[in-house]
Amino acid sequence: MSSSLCAPLGTRRGRGGYVEDGSSRQDVPIVVREGVYLTWEELWVTMSKPSGKDGKKAIILESQTGYAKPGELLAVMGPSGCGKTTLLDALAGRLNSKAKQTGDILINGRKQALAYGTSAYLTQEDAMLTTLTVEEAVYYSAQLQLPDSMSKFEKKERAEFTIKEMGLQDAIHTRIGGCGSKGISGGQKRRVSICIEIITRPNLLFLDEPTSGLDSAASFYVMNRIARLNKTDGIQRTIIASIHQPNTQVFQLFHNLCLLSNGKLVYFGPASAANKFFALNGFPCPTLQNPSDHFVKTINKDFELENPEQGLTDGLTTEEAIYMLVKSYQSSETSQQIQTEIVAIRTGDSSAMEKKSNAAFFTQCIVLTRRSYLNMYRDLGYYWLRLFIYGALAICLGTIFYNIGSSKESAQARGSLLMFVATFLTFITIGGFPSFVEEMKVFEKERLNGHYGVTAYIIGQTLSSIPYILLISLIPGAIVYYLTNLHHSCQHFVYFTCVLFVSVMLVESLMMIVASMVPNFLTGIITGCGILGVMMLNGGFYKLPSDLPKPIWKYPLYYISIHKYAYQGLFKNEFEGLTFTNKNNNDQVGEHMKNISGEDMLRDLWEVEMCHSKWVDLFILLGMLVLYRVLFLVIIKAMEKVKPIVAAFKWK
Ligand SMILES: Nc1ncnc2c1ncn2[C@@H]1O[C@H](COP(=O)(O)OP(=O)(O)OP(=O)(O)O)[C@@H](O)[C@H]1O
């Protein structure tokens, strides 16, 4: 390997310090390198086998050693399932909780977990808001990620430039599309995802199969553009990309190549020297064959049993060939040079990792509100379908309970109607969960890449949903209220609408919490249904509070049930101040038996707590709403905090 590999790139003068052996170099001006230097040594990743009751672990990565440095593009290649994504995840500090990692990963010479927002990571799966056009997706991302010091015009210009760079100018006004709504193609989606990750020109960029779904020409242009990121503004960037089948032109863009087979390191070194390594070990690349195809084919043992003749080379099975290559690499000169390079990187002084300077908090809130509002407007499943169902149910309720009357029997009907409003009408809010889970996937990806903060997201999500929830509370609420002729007065109608509005928001908040912990929408819906079912049952209607298990303070479900406060508030709003006539009265019965006050009914029939007013119930619901949203924030934040600690613990 050339000595240039060890030469620091993009250097600046720094102050004196201590070298690793402890000797002082106070008086020697040292050179501090810019950019991100990543080294990993003896990196192992194991995972618990799903079926392994014996506690056996599956080895996903074995004894990986390598480095990535500014100004260079490192390609990670190998057959499907060899551990490329796992290597990228380990380096980016994103391994899932089932994985255990040992070995050293150093960032700029320090053992540290990558903080949120210090790198960009293009995941294999494209997670984007499907209702947005290409231009909107990239421009919103630019507004969120680029600092406020850049003007709107500059951000727009950067977004348009990046879209053009990725060859998406013809699809700029096409919606991204997803399940059930056709939009741009899979390859175009991939390029939009790349646009979103490179728009800030990050110093450290992980790309997991950036060219999947692209034709060979598009693959070249995209990879060429990514490789050129280093040359546009004089800043050296560290880029690590896993890639499946690069053509010869793309392969020539790689500085270093990391070749994996079944978790083992077959080769790490200059991409240009890989051909020689394979030839020296008895696997020369046939003329007219793409070297990368040749490497991956030589070390792919997945189909050996199907095609035994494919695996045999010089009388070796593929497994034996891989073993031989791994051993040969370990004792090779290239491997020694890589070690030397790693030591040079470790001992050099590097500047600390810097967090991207995103848009300010206030800007993030505004942009996220706008983006989320637009997404909700265009996604029929988010609110419009619910508005339709709510409207239909309201007409149905209005017809069944039409002009409800004022007899004692009508009071029972009022109770049932209000309970239906407090429970079922809020329960069907769960219908919007699939759309919310899709949004959460985008949020999760963007949050991990540090596009914006959790608080800004929650504020944006809350503000954008208010007009829609107001609509689905107001219109169906008005239909029910006036068809059934509930308690006449504007104040009573406003209260009714407020309780419906806050309850729907509360159920949405509950589902946000569920989504943060159960990101699968089927399990999420079942979990949400279960929680709401328990709350409904314990609201004090289906079983009266006095019948609930004693002592009541040992039964907290009653007090934390959303429905308790919603139904008690609605009941007080409806019954207080009304008098109901007893149809079965006769002359022998006293006047007090002929008419029953609403307050008496609340107390005797439903055991509604009369010690506080209906406004207290509404206030408690509002408090719960704030609490649920804060809880969502705390859970996400806690996960952020716990992850690096778990990662650090795993390294030990
Ligand atoms: N959570 C998990 N539990 C058990 N095994 C896992 C888990 N995640 C990944 N693996 C296994 O680890 C191996 C490496 O997976 P990884 O996704 O890193 O491969 P890859 O090279 O990126 O594959 P591809 O090119 O197909 O995306 C695979 O054999 C996979 O089955």
Side-chain angles (χ1 to χ4, degrees):
M1 187 172 306
S2 73
S3 59
S4 68
L5 273 170
C6 304
L9 287 151
T11 56
R12 69 179 160 83
R13 290 277 153 193
R15 293 164 58 145
Y18 290 88
V19 287
E20 261 204 350
D21 60 6
S23 60
S24 172
R25 55 178 185 197
Q26 295 275 20
D27 304 318
V28 188
I30 60 162
V31 174
V32 178
R33 301 170 301 191
E34 299 283 1
V36 184
Y37 289 77
L38 205 61
T39 60
W40 56 100
E41 286 174 275
E42 278 302 307
L43 175 66
W44 288 67
V45 176
T46 53
M47 238 168 255
S48 318
K49 279 186 180 170
S51 56
K53 283 189 185 145
D54 52 357
K56 274 197 172 174
K57 302 250 180 197
I59 297 172
I60 310 293
L61 287 179
E62 261 182 72
S63 189
Q64 297 293 322
T65 295
Y67 71 89
K69 68 182 197 177
E72 292 190 352
L73 170 55
L74 166 66
V76 182
M77 280 175 48
S80 178
C82 67
K84 299 183 290 294
T85 304
T86 310
L87 179 62
L88 259 58
D89 283 350
L91 298 179
R94 289 177 176 223
L95 278 179
N96 70 35
S97 53
K98 285 185 196 156
K100 184 157 169 39
Q101 165 186 323
T102 54
D104 278 350
I105 298 177
L106 303 187
I107 302 158
N108 286 350
R110 297 174 198 93
K111 202 167 181 171
Q112 55 183 315
L114 271 175
Y116 288 90
T118 43
S119 65
Y121 191 124
L122 176 82
T123 50
Q124 239 178 62
E125 208 177 305
D126 296 308
M128 282 174 284
L129 292 178
T130 54
T131 54
L132 303 184
T133 63
V134 169
E135 185 183 35
E136 286 163 351
V138 181
Y139 182 49
Y140 274 123
S141 202
Q143 290 179 78
L144 288 166
Q145 293 191 74
L146 296 171
D148 280 4
S149 53
M150 276 177 86
S151 69
K152 270 191 177 178
F153 177 75
E154 284 171 316
K155 289 178 186 175
K156 182 118 190 141
E157 219 177 32
R158 172 80 72 91
E160 278 169 9
F161 179 70
T162 313
I163 289 170
K164 281 187 192 138
E165 273 183 314
M166 286 294 142
L168 288 165
Q169 58 281 358
D170 290 343
I172 196 160
H173 300 302
T174 311
R175 287 202 191 169
I176 287 164
C179 240
S181 61
K182 181 74 186 106
I184 55 174
S185 72
Q188 286 172 327
K189 261 185 207 159
R190 201 78 197 120
R191 284 181 275 161
V192 177
S193 293
I194 298 173
C195 282
I196 289 172
E197 294 315 325
I198 65 169
I199 199 143
T200 55
R201 313 296 186 241
N203 279 348
L204 177 58
L205 181 59
F206 295 96
L207 301 154
D208 197 358
E209 295 182 18
T211 57
S212 67
L214 302 186
D215 60 83
S216 65
S219 298
F220 171 71
Y221 288 119
V222 166
M223 286 310 293
N224 188 36
R225 177 62 211 124
I226 289 167
R228 269 196 3 235
L229 276 176
N230 279 321
K231 294 173 187 151
T232 45
D233 50 11
I235 297 173
Q236 306 281 5
R237 297 183 169 88
T238 308
I239 306 168
I240 307 176
S242 79
I243 195 157
H244 260 297
Q245 276 192 310
N247 63 25
T248 315
Q249 267 185 308
V250 173
F251 190 78
Q252 283 166 355
L253 297 170
F254 305 152
H255 295 95
N256 277 331
L257 173 68
C258 171
L259 206 51
L260 304 176
S261 175
N262 206 19
K264 298 177 182 70
L265 183 62
V266 175
Y267 176 83
F268 187 105
S272 53
N275 222 347
K276 193 172 163 198
F277 171 76
F278 272 75
L280 279 175
N281 286 286
F283 304 101
C285 178
T287 335
L288 301 180
Q289 191 169 344
N290 174 359
S292 58
D293 283 349
H294 171 67
F295 304 150
V296 175
K297 193 172 167 224
T298 308
I299 58 173
N300 188 340
K301 68 176 184 63
D302 290 349
F303 302 97
E304 196 170 20
L305 285 178
E306 291 291 313
N307 312 295
E309 74 287 352
Q310 171 242 313
L312 286 174
T313 317
D314 286 347
L316 296 175
T317 63
T318 310
E319 184 113 38
E320 288 164 343
I322 294 167
Y323 180 79
M324 196 266 276
L325 283 168
V326 170
K327 288 288 160 203
S328 169
Y329 173 72
Q330 283 168 358
S331 54
S332 69
E333 202 184 321
T334 311
S335 168
Q336 302 309 314
Q337 285 168 332
I338 294 300
Q339 287 292 351
T340 314
E341 177 67 14
I342 289 172
V343 172
I345 290 174
R346 284 178 65 149
T347 47
D349 252 354
S350 309
S351 51
M353 275 291 280
E354 276 172 25
K355 216 173 167 180
K356 285 187 288 182
S357 55
N358 291 12
F361 175 74
F362 188 62
T363 313
Q364 287 184 8
C365 291
I366 293 174
V367 175
L368 286 168
T369 306
R370 280 201 195 128
R371 190 179 76 165
S372 185
Y373 181 86
L374 189 62
N375 180 46
M376 289 167 182
Y377 179 77
R378 288 183 183 164
D379 185 346
L380 283 183
Y382 221 122
Y383 286 117
W384 297 124
L385 193 62
R386 253 191 287 168
L387 181 63
F388 175 75
I389 301 290
Y390 268 77
L393 271 172
I395 293 171
C396 205
L397 277 173
T399 318
I400 291 172
F401 294 95
Y402 183 71
N403 208 4
I404 210 155
S406 59
S407 66
K408 187 188 161 200
E409 286 68 29
S410 87
Q412 278 291 0
R414 280 174 205 252
S416 307
L417 168 64
L418 294 176
M419 198 55 201
F420 187 87
V421 170
T423 54
F424 192 74
L425 280 196
T426 53
F427 180 78
I428 56 170
T429 291
I430 282 186
F433 190 65
S435 295
F436 181 66
V437 166
E438 285 307 307
E439 200 187 292
M440 275 291 283
K441 280 188 199 162
V442 180
F443 161 65
E444 184 65 12
K445 184 199 84 173
E446 294 178 333
R447 184 181 63 86
L448 281 171
N449 281 344
H451 292 191
Y452 46 80
V454 193
T455 316
Y457 170 75
I458 293 175
I459 290 174
Q461 221 284 337
T462 308
L463 293 180
S464 55
S465 64
I466 286 176
Y468 298 100
I469 299 180
L470 207 55
L471 217 55
I472 60 175
S473 312
L474 199 64
I475 297 175
I479 295 173
V480 174
Y481 209 86
Y482 288 101
L483 279 180
T484 55
N485 213 0
L486 290 176
H487 202 146
H488 264 302
S489 102
C490 187
Q491 186 247 74
H492 284 86
F493 171 67
V494 169
Y495 184 91
F496 175 89
T497 311
C498 283
V499 169
L500 186 56
F501 171 78
V502 179
S503 302
V504 170
M505 284 211 81
L506 253 172
V507 175
E508 280 213 349
S509 315
L510 179 78
M511 293 313 286
M512 280 167 88
I513 296 173
V514 171
S516 67
M517 295 192 281
V518 191
N520 171 306
F521 91 88
L522 197 59
T523 359
I525 283 187
I526 294 168
T527 312
C529 287
I531 297 173
L532 285 173
V534 171
M535 285 202 185
M536 274 183 214
L537 274 177
N538 291 285
F541 181 82
Y542 297 108
K543 194 155 189 204
L544 292 175
S546 61
D547 285 342
L548 286 172
K550 298 282 185 312
I552 211 156
W553 55 268
K554 277 197 180 164
Y555 202 68
L557 282 174
Y558 171 65
Y559 293 101
I560 59 168
S561 164
I562 299 170
H563 304 98
K564 164 185 158 31
Y565 304 99
Y567 111 80
Q568 293 208 353
L570 285 178
F571 272 48
K572 284 178 202 168
N573 183 54
E574 183 60 25
F575 286 93
E576 281 175 349
L578 289 187
T579 306
F580 297 90
T581 51
N582 194 344
K583 275 187 196 165
N584 298 327
N585 60 7
N586 53 46
D587 293 341
Q588 279 84 44
V589 187
E591 196 60 33
H592 68 284
M593 289 298 287
K594 288 184 191 162
N595 296 321
I596 307 168
S597 77
E599 285 81 356
D600 284 346
M601 295 199 102
L602 288 176
R603 208 174 292 117
D604 303 335
L605 204 56
W606 294 296
E607 295 183 8
V608 170
E609 290 167 3
M610 302 297 284
C611 52
H612 57 257
S613 83
K614 64 180 182 182
W615 298 106
V616 174
D617 291 302
L618 182 59
F619 185 74
I620 294 174
L621 283 174
L622 274 169
M624 284 172 106
L625 176 61
V626 175
L627 186 77
Y628 277 28
R629 300 262 158 168
V630 171
L631 202 61
F632 175 72
L633 176 90
V634 170
I635 292 171
I636 303 278
K637 286 267 183 199
M639 284 175 175
E640 271 181 18
K641 292 269 179 295
V642 166
K643 229 179 155 190
I645 298 169
V646 173
F649 181 72
K650 279 179 181 173
W651 292 353
K652 285 186 181 149

